Amino acid sequence: MQPISAASAQKEYLCPGCGLTIEPGTAHVVVWRADGVLGDAADLAARRHWHHHCWSIA
């Protein structure tokens, strides 16, 4: 998991937790598996951007 500050959030993403848009300028977290069977590169490619709240209740 990596936190993204509001200042660093430059693009729009879709949160898989709630299905709503994470607007540019919104602090959020990027999450990926660290134990996937296809290796680190595949895990990083499958990373997802989540709202802080959505990730905390997932």
Side-chain angles (χ1 to χ4, degrees), residues 9-39:
Q10 301 293 315
K11 293 173 59 179
E12 183 177 286
Y13 296 98
L14 187 64
C15 176
C18 66
L20 298 176
T21 302
I22 301 172
E23 298 290 337
T26 303
H28 61 281
V29 293
V30 180
V31 182
W32 62 93
R33 295 182 65 98
D35 61 352
V37 296
L38 299 177

Side-chain angles (χ1 to χ4, degrees), residues 31-55:
V31 182
W32 62 93
R33 295 182 65 98
D35 61 352
V37 296
L38 299 177
D40 292 341
D43 291 344
L44 266 180
R47 66 190 180 272
R48 296 292 177 258
H49 295 252
W50 290 69
H51 292 110
H52 283 285
H53 175 74
C54 295
W55 179 249

